[in-house]
Amino acid sequence: MRVPLLDLNEQYRTLAEPIHEAIRAVLASHRFILGPQVKAFEKAICAYCKAPHAIGLSSGTDALLAVLMAFGVGPGDAVITTPYTFFATAGCIARTGARPLFVDIDPITYNICPSAIQECFEKNCQRDSNGEWKTRSGERVRVIVLVHLFGLCCEMDAIHEVSEHYRLDVIEDAAQAIGAEYPFGERAAKAGTMGEAGCFSFYPSKNLGAAGDAGMIICRDEKLARELRIFREHGMEPRYYHRVIGGNFRLDEIQAAILAVKLPYLERWSAARRAAADFYRAELARAGLAEKITLPAEPYRGRGLTNHHIYHQYVIRAPMRDDLREHLAKREIETAIYYPLGLHEQKCFAYLGYKKGDFPQAERAAREALALPIYPEISREAQRQVIGALSEFFN
Ligand SMILES: *Cc1c(COP(=O)(O)O)cnc(C)c1O
């Protein structure tokens, strides 16, 4: 049996009818962009995330870009972020004209390491006479874009401490973490609600996937929400008057209508992903592989959260990762490498002046991490095949 990394067949089979109906209704309405479907889906996301405002956007990438624009990030700024993420996180920072200021990850969570942020300030930054933090080359450091990678939230308590101390605005790239929770103070906070703004992607392979590109920003501040709606339409307000330069970051009605059909299932899907992860954990231990490979950490389990992890990806660390991947491929098991190269080593960022060895944890993750098949409907039989092939390789 072939085991794909992600299989959307079952999801489509179950929801085909209401999805077709939703598309038909949009076609009949002749409202295709930023209409009632977008409004309704924004409202549904507000309710789901317990966020006061939601702004539908054309993609997760555009969500990140729009937030950075609304924060006035641009030339003369440096924005702290992780080198171990999908390209868009740092790509958007660079596109504003700001400099991505990379900080290494925590090897357990794969997320940006709070103490490394502090070290970065101590080593590379200083306060000027206005009390603003600047890099050695003089860029202001006032924003951090953190990423809740693979469906696990960053350590927000520690990040909050650092961001308060250095007066950083926190933007959450929650593209892989919709619904994921963190034990933030007294409450179970959803990804995207712990900083000034949270960005979601509804790329088809994300946990909540559209039939094309789509994204969303959530935030608490009403003024920011209003600004984001303006940036979403070329910075236009009122019509044909432009105070700021925005972009076409609008969300389509068809995408919003499809996503609104799917959203009520998200909790169930996250629980099913977690059950699949539990099965991997138990069976890999039973097969004696717990010492040979490193399973994903669950640091917030048992802290009163439902979605302590939403397993957008199930990522293990393995020695001889590339040989293992080849072996699994021979057994018809599809895997993926997220990500093979730290962003500081990408050709397009050579101008930033980083070199190999600058972020040892990100580089080690890039060498060792391997994503195994996971999706809500994955069968235990398919998982047993994966576990069998792993055993075969290590024993
Ligand atoms: C998918 C993703 C994005 C980009 O979202 P798109 O909708 O594909 O533009 C940004 N950041 C991370 C971490 C992602 O996984």
Side-chain angles (χ1 to χ4, degrees):
M1 172 171 67
R2 196 184 144 262
V3 184
L5 191 65
L6 168 68
D7 185 350
L8 291 170
N9 274 297
E10 188 61 32
Q11 187 192 96
Y12 181 59
R13 245 200 306 279
T14 338
L15 296 179
E17 258 183 59
I19 286 175
H20 294 175
E21 192 37 57
I23 294 172
R24 250 196 301 273
V26 172
L27 290 175
S29 79
H30 310 294
R31 283 284 308 263
F32 294 115
I33 291 168
L34 294 187
Q37 298 294 334
V38 168
K39 273 212 182 71
F41 180 54
E42 287 175 343
K43 220 171 137 194
I45 287 287
C46 282
Y48 177 70
C49 293
K50 298 192 180 69
H53 304 285
I55 300 96
L57 286 114
S58 34
S59 70
T61 303
D62 289 342
L64 286 165
L65 188 59
V67 174
L68 290 164
M69 285 173 138
F71 275 65
V73 169
D77 289 320
V79 177
I80 294 176
T81 196
T82 163
Y84 190 65
T85 174
F86 178 59
F87 174 77
T89 316
C92 289
I93 294 169
R95 282 170 68 193
T96 67
R99 164 183 289 267
L101 190 58
F102 292 123
V103 165
D104 208 358
I105 58 166
D106 174 309
I108 308 289
T109 62
Y110 298 101
N111 287 328
I112 196 164
C113 173
S115 61
I117 301 171
Q118 193 173 345
E119 274 163 40
C120 172
F121 272 101
E122 281 164 13
K123 278 212 315 244
N124 308 320
C125 305
Q126 56 209 21
R127 275 178 102 156
D128 69 6
S129 49
N130 300 324
E132 281 193 332
W133 285 95
K134 296 252 171 91
T135 62
R136 289 201 193 292
S137 35
E139 294 119 342
R140 286 179 305 175
V141 189
R142 52 190 181 95
V143 176
I144 174 169
V145 180
L146 51 80
V147 183
H148 306 304
L149 202 68
F150 304 145
L152 177 70
C153 286
C154 296
E155 295 169 77
M156 293 307 295
D157 281 318
I159 294 209
H160 195 63
E161 240 171 72
V162 180
S163 68
E164 290 268 284
H165 187 264
Y166 295 101
R167 289 196 266 155
L168 298 170
D169 283 333
V170 176
I171 297 170
E172 298 173 66
D173 179 343
Q176 302 186 3
I178 188 162
E181 291 166 330
Y182 177 83
F184 206 37
E186 298 292 291
R187 69 192 175 108
K190 280 217 156 67
T193 65
M194 295 175 277
E196 327 306 322
C199 301
F200 297 122
S201 163
F202 306 117
Y203 183 78
S205 68
K206 297 282 157 75
N207 284 25
L208 179 62
D213 280 308
M216 182 82 65
I217 301 168
I218 56 173
C219 66
R220 272 185 310 268
D221 186 45
E222 193 180 337
K223 208 169 131 239
L224 175 61
R226 211 172 326 125
E227 280 296 289
L228 288 167
R229 290 180 197 285
I230 293 169
F231 273 96
R232 174 171 71 174
E233 286 203 275
H234 297 290
M236 179 163 74
E237 190 188 58
R239 207 165 178 76
Y240 304 128
Y241 288 82
H242 303 258
R243 171 175 51 86
V244 289
I245 301 169
N248 174 357
F249 304 142
R250 296 177 302 232
L251 178 57
D252 289 342
E253 287 281 282
I254 285 186
Q255 298 305 341
I258 292 170
L259 288 163
V261 170
K262 289 188 177 190
L263 179 60
Y265 297 86
L266 183 59
E267 283 295 283
R268 240 169 289 176
W269 292 337
S270 295
R273 283 172 182 270
R274 206 158 32 248
D278 285 345
F279 186 77
Y280 269 140
R281 181 174 306 275
E283 293 300 306
L284 287 168
R286 233 162 54 110
L289 292 171
E291 277 80 53
K292 300 201 165 92
I293 58 184
T294 307
L295 304 184
E298 298 185 334
Y300 317 128
R301 195 183 188 113
R303 307 250 320 252
L305 306 178
T306 307
N307 292 326
H308 62 88
H309 202 315
I310 56 153
Y311 287 101
H312 173 59
Q313 299 295 346
Y314 190 88
V315 174
I316 62 166
R317 275 180 194 271
M320 301 187 290
R321 188 262 322 261
D322 295 332
D323 294 342
L324 172 60
R325 183 164 195 231
E326 216 168 285
H327 174 77
L328 293 173
K330 275 193 209 124
R331 298 288 179 272
E332 290 195 283
I333 295 161
E334 199 186 341
T335 58
I337 295 173
Y338 303 116
Y339 296 89
L341 193 61
L343 294 183
H344 63 294
E345 293 187 78
Q346 296 288 353
K347 212 169 178 179
C348 68
F349 288 139
Y351 73 95
L352 296 172
Y354 292 109
K355 59 185 187 310
K356 197 174 182 64
D358 280 348
F359 304 107
Q361 294 304 341
E363 289 168 31
R364 187 162 77 85
R367 281 195 307 273
E368 296 181 351
L370 187 66
L372 302 182
I374 196 161
Y375 46 91
E377 304 82 3
I378 192 170
S379 69
R380 299 297 172 256
E381 189 192 352
Q383 287 190 276
R384 272 194 204 98
Q385 191 172 327
V386 176
I387 293 153
L390 284 164
S391 302
E392 201 179 30
F393 181 80
F394 284 106
N395 299 319

